[in-house]
mmCIF file of all heavy atoms in Angstrom:
data_model
loop_
_atom_site.group_PDB
_atom_site.id
_atom_site.type_symbol
_atom_site.label_atom_id
_atom_site.label_comp_id
_atom_site.label_asym_id
_atom_site.label_seq_id
_atom_site.Cartn_x
_atom_site.Cartn_y
_atom_site.Cartn_z
ATOM 1 N N ILE A 321 61.579 32.775 1.993
ATOM 2 C CA ILE A 321 62.261 31.694 2.519
ATOM 3 C C ILE A 321 63.310 32.192 3.648
ATOM 4 O O ILE A 321 63.456 31.434 4.652
ATOM 5 C CB ILE A 321 63.120 31.011 1.370
ATOM 6 C CG1 ILE A 321 62.142 30.434 0.380
ATOM 7 C CG2 ILE A 321 64.107 30.107 1.894
ATOM 8 C CD1 ILE A 321 62.825 29.827 -0.937
ATOM 9 N N GLY A 322 63.873 33.284 3.365
ATOM 10 C CA GLY A 322 64.861 33.851 4.387
ATOM 11 C C GLY A 322 64.203 34.091 5.695
ATOM 12 O O GLY A 322 64.629 33.801 6.804
ATOM 13 N N ALA A 323 63.002 34.782 5.630
ATOM 14 C CA ALA A 323 62.258 35.056 6.832
ATOM 15 C C ALA A 323 61.696 33.811 7.537
ATOM 16 O O ALA A 323 61.653 33.708 8.724
ATOM 17 C CB ALA A 323 61.145 35.993 6.525
ATOM 18 N N GLY A 324 61.273 32.816 6.635
ATOM 19 C CA GLY A 324 60.812 31.618 7.296
ATOM 20 C C GLY A 324 61.841 30.708 8.008
ATOM 21 O O GLY A 324 61.608 30.164 9.034
ATOM 22 N N PHE A 325 63.059 30.732 7.438
ATOM 23 C CA PHE A 325 64.065 29.926 8.052
ATOM 24 C C PHE A 325 64.938 30.763 9.006
ATOM 25 O O PHE A 325 65.974 30.232 9.540
ATOM 26 C CB PHE A 325 64.958 29.262 6.965
ATOM 27 C CG PHE A 325 64.310 28.208 6.307
ATOM 28 C CD1 PHE A 325 63.546 28.405 5.078
ATOM 29 C CD2 PHE A 325 64.424 26.862 6.763
ATOM 30 C CE1 PHE A 325 62.949 27.278 4.515
ATOM 31 C CE2 PHE A 325 63.833 25.813 6.117
ATOM 32 C CZ PHE A 325 63.038 25.990 4.980
ATOM 33 N N GLY A 326 64.659 31.958 9.262
ATOM 34 C CA GLY A 326 65.365 32.797 10.181
ATOM 35 C C GLY A 326 66.798 33.257 9.676
ATOM 36 O O GLY A 326 67.671 33.320 10.490
ATOM 37 N N LEU A 327 66.858 33.480 8.344
ATOM 38 C CA LEU A 327 68.225 33.813 7.919
ATOM 39 C C LEU A 327 68.377 35.300 8.036
ATOM 40 O O LEU A 327 67.605 36.179 7.471
ATOM 41 C CB LEU A 327 68.357 33.442 6.371
ATOM 42 C CG LEU A 327 68.177 32.000 6.087
ATOM 43 C CD1 LEU A 327 68.270 31.717 4.595
ATOM 44 C CD2 LEU A 327 69.232 31.203 6.749
ATOM 45 N N ASP A 328 69.325 35.875 8.819
ATOM 46 C CA ASP A 328 69.479 37.229 9.101
ATOM 47 C C ASP A 328 70.310 37.902 7.981
ATOM 48 O O ASP A 328 70.130 39.127 7.790
ATOM 49 C CB ASP A 328 70.176 37.392 10.477
ATOM 50 C CG ASP A 328 69.369 36.841 11.646
ATOM 51 O OD1 ASP A 328 68.165 36.942 11.424
ATOM 52 O OD2 ASP A 328 69.904 36.387 12.571
ATOM 53 N N SER A 329 71.188 37.283 7.281
ATOM 54 C CA SER A 329 72.078 37.865 6.361
ATOM 55 C C SER A 329 71.322 38.159 5.055
ATOM 56 O O SER A 329 70.709 37.281 4.463
ATOM 57 C CB SER A 329 73.312 36.956 6.092
ATOM 58 O OG SER A 329 74.094 37.587 5.047
ATOM 59 N N LYS A 330 71.341 39.377 4.582
ATOM 60 C CA LYS A 330 70.728 39.726 3.378
ATOM 61 C C LYS A 330 71.530 39.128 2.169
ATOM 62 O O LYS A 330 71.022 39.038 1.105
ATOM 63 C CB LYS A 330 70.707 41.333 3.207
ATOM 64 C CG LYS A 330 69.844 41.912 4.194
ATOM 65 C CD LYS A 330 68.443 41.468 4.171
ATOM 66 C CE LYS A 330 67.554 42.278 5.216
ATOM 67 N NZ LYS A 330 67.879 42.021 6.595
ATOM 68 N N ILE A 331 72.824 38.854 2.331
ATOM 69 C CA ILE A 331 73.598 38.264 1.329
ATOM 70 C C ILE A 331 72.981 36.832 0.936
ATOM 71 O O ILE A 331 72.911 36.416 -0.122
ATOM 72 C CB ILE A 331 75.104 38.167 1.730
ATOM 73 C CG1 ILE A 331 75.634 39.567 1.897
ATOM 74 C CG2 ILE A 331 75.861 37.310 0.662
ATOM 75 C CD1 ILE A 331 77.063 39.577 2.314
ATOM 76 N N GLN A 332 72.575 36.107 2.090
ATOM 77 C CA GLN A 332 71.967 34.810 1.770
ATOM 78 C C GLN A 332 70.643 34.893 1.091
ATOM 79 O O GLN A 332 70.372 34.170 0.217
ATOM 80 C CB GLN A 332 71.763 34.071 3.114
ATOM 81 C CG GLN A 332 73.046 33.738 3.893
ATOM 82 C CD GLN A 332 72.799 33.196 5.363
ATOM 83 O OE1 GLN A 332 71.772 33.419 5.944
ATOM 84 N NE2 GLN A 332 73.693 32.336 5.839
ATOM 85 N N TRP A 333 69.923 36.025 1.428
ATOM 86 C CA TRP A 333 68.731 36.254 0.678
ATOM 87 C C TRP A 333 68.921 36.466 -0.844
ATOM 88 O O TRP A 333 68.266 35.980 -1.652
ATOM 89 C CB TRP A 333 67.970 37.403 1.350
ATOM 90 C CG TRP A 333 67.378 37.182 2.657
ATOM 91 C CD1 TRP A 333 67.859 36.227 3.639
ATOM 92 C CD2 TRP A 333 66.256 37.842 3.288
ATOM 93 N NE1 TRP A 333 67.072 36.326 4.769
ATOM 94 C CE2 TRP A 333 66.106 37.332 4.569
ATOM 95 C CE3 TRP A 333 65.418 38.914 2.872
ATOM 96 C CZ2 TRP A 333 65.163 37.804 5.478
ATOM 97 C CZ3 TRP A 333 64.552 39.308 3.686
ATOM 98 C CH2 TRP A 333 64.374 38.818 4.988
ATOM 99 N N GLY A 334 69.953 37.276 -1.014
ATOM 100 C CA GLY A 334 70.274 37.555 -2.416
ATOM 101 C C GLY A 334 70.830 36.412 -3.178
ATOM 102 O O GLY A 334 70.480 36.153 -4.300
ATOM 103 N N LEU A 335 71.580 35.544 -2.517
ATOM 104 C CA LEU A 335 72.092 34.295 -3.273
ATOM 105 C C LEU A 335 70.904 33.381 -3.645
ATOM 106 O O LEU A 335 70.808 32.748 -4.603
ATOM 107 C CB LEU A 335 72.978 33.557 -2.369
ATOM 108 C CG LEU A 335 74.480 34.244 -2.282
ATOM 109 C CD1 LEU A 335 75.259 33.482 -1.325
ATOM 110 C CD2 LEU A 335 75.113 34.518 -3.579
ATOM 111 N N ILE A 336 69.911 33.234 -2.629
ATOM 112 C CA ILE A 336 68.708 32.379 -2.867
ATOM 113 C C ILE A 336 67.952 33.011 -4.046
ATOM 114 O O ILE A 336 67.426 32.321 -4.944
ATOM 115 C CB ILE A 336 67.851 32.288 -1.635
ATOM 116 C CG1 ILE A 336 68.615 31.577 -0.490
ATOM 117 C CG2 ILE A 336 66.473 31.640 -1.860
ATOM 118 C CD1 ILE A 336 67.986 31.521 0.849
ATOM 119 N N ALA A 337 67.712 34.332 -3.968
ATOM 120 C CA ALA A 337 67.072 35.068 -5.126
ATOM 121 C C ALA A 337 67.743 34.739 -6.415
ATOM 122 O O ALA A 337 67.062 34.588 -7.426
ATOM 123 C CB ALA A 337 66.930 36.467 -4.841
ATOM 124 N N LEU A 338 69.049 34.755 -6.374
ATOM 125 C CA LEU A 338 69.808 34.569 -7.627
ATOM 126 C C LEU A 338 69.539 33.174 -8.282
ATOM 127 O O LEU A 338 69.357 32.906 -9.369
ATOM 128 C CB LEU A 338 71.302 34.887 -7.380
ATOM 129 C CG LEU A 338 72.259 34.718 -8.562
ATOM 130 C CD1 LEU A 338 71.918 35.645 -9.693
ATOM 131 C CD2 LEU A 338 73.721 34.771 -8.051
ATOM 132 N N LEU A 339 69.663 32.205 -7.297
ATOM 133 C CA LEU A 339 69.361 30.801 -7.775
ATOM 134 C C LEU A 339 67.956 30.605 -8.352
ATOM 135 O O LEU A 339 67.777 29.940 -9.330
ATOM 136 C CB LEU A 339 69.691 29.836 -6.687
ATOM 137 C CG LEU A 339 71.107 29.713 -6.163
ATOM 138 C CD1 LEU A 339 71.264 28.817 -5.015
ATOM 139 C CD2 LEU A 339 72.037 29.227 -7.322
ATOM 140 N N LEU A 340 67.019 31.268 -7.589
ATOM 141 C CA LEU A 340 65.660 31.083 -8.033
ATOM 142 C C LEU A 340 65.467 31.781 -9.300
ATOM 143 O O LEU A 340 64.603 31.308 -10.239
ATOM 144 C CB LEU A 340 64.699 31.671 -6.936
ATOM 145 C CG LEU A 340 64.566 30.949 -5.665
ATOM 146 C CD1 LEU A 340 63.800 31.808 -4.623
ATOM 147 C CD2 LEU A 340 63.999 29.529 -5.884
ATOM 148 N N PHE A 341 66.091 32.901 -9.569
ATOM 149 C CA PHE A 341 65.989 33.598 -10.867
ATOM 150 C C PHE A 341 66.496 32.845 -12.058
ATOM 151 O O PHE A 341 65.922 32.655 -13.093
ATOM 152 C CB PHE A 341 66.706 34.925 -10.816
ATOM 153 C CG PHE A 341 66.788 35.700 -12.097
ATOM 154 C CD1 PHE A 341 65.617 36.297 -12.653
ATOM 155 C CD2 PHE A 341 67.977 35.791 -12.760
ATOM 156 C CE1 PHE A 341 65.724 37.018 -13.721
ATOM 157 C CE2 PHE A 341 68.142 36.461 -13.904
ATOM 158 C CZ PHE A 341 66.949 37.112 -14.524
ATOM 159 N N VAL A 342 67.633 32.221 -11.899
ATOM 160 C CA VAL A 342 68.188 31.416 -12.858
ATOM 161 C C VAL A 342 67.404 30.276 -13.123
ATOM 162 O O VAL A 342 67.084 29.905 -14.383
ATOM 163 C CB VAL A 342 69.704 30.993 -12.535
ATOM 164 C CG1 VAL A 342 70.216 29.957 -13.601
ATOM 165 C CG2 VAL A 342 70.551 32.238 -12.453
ATOM 166 N N ALA A 343 66.973 29.478 -12.144
ATOM 167 C CA ALA A 343 66.071 28.305 -12.318
ATOM 168 C C ALA A 343 64.726 28.751 -12.882
ATOM 169 O O ALA A 343 64.239 28.018 -13.805
ATOM 170 C CB ALA A 343 65.800 27.567 -10.994
ATOM 171 N N GLY A 344 64.150 29.826 -12.385
ATOM 172 C CA GLY A 344 62.871 30.171 -13.003
ATOM 173 C C GLY A 344 62.955 30.648 -14.442
ATOM 174 O O GLY A 344 62.026 30.290 -15.212
ATOM 175 N N SER A 345 64.056 31.275 -14.749
ATOM 176 C CA SER A 345 64.211 31.767 -16.163
ATOM 177 C C SER A 345 64.258 30.506 -16.995
ATOM 178 O O SER A 345 63.714 30.444 -18.229
ATOM 179 C CB SER A 345 65.486 32.581 -16.299
ATOM 180 O OG SER A 345 65.429 33.725 -15.516
#
Side-chain angles (χ1 to χ4, degrees):
I321 294 175
F325 286 91
L327 301 178
D328 297 330
S329 176
K330 297 300 186 294
I331 296 178
Q332 294 175 335
W333 291 25
L335 293 176
I336 294 174
L338 181 62
L339 294 176
L340 292 175
F341 173 71
V342 175
S345 298

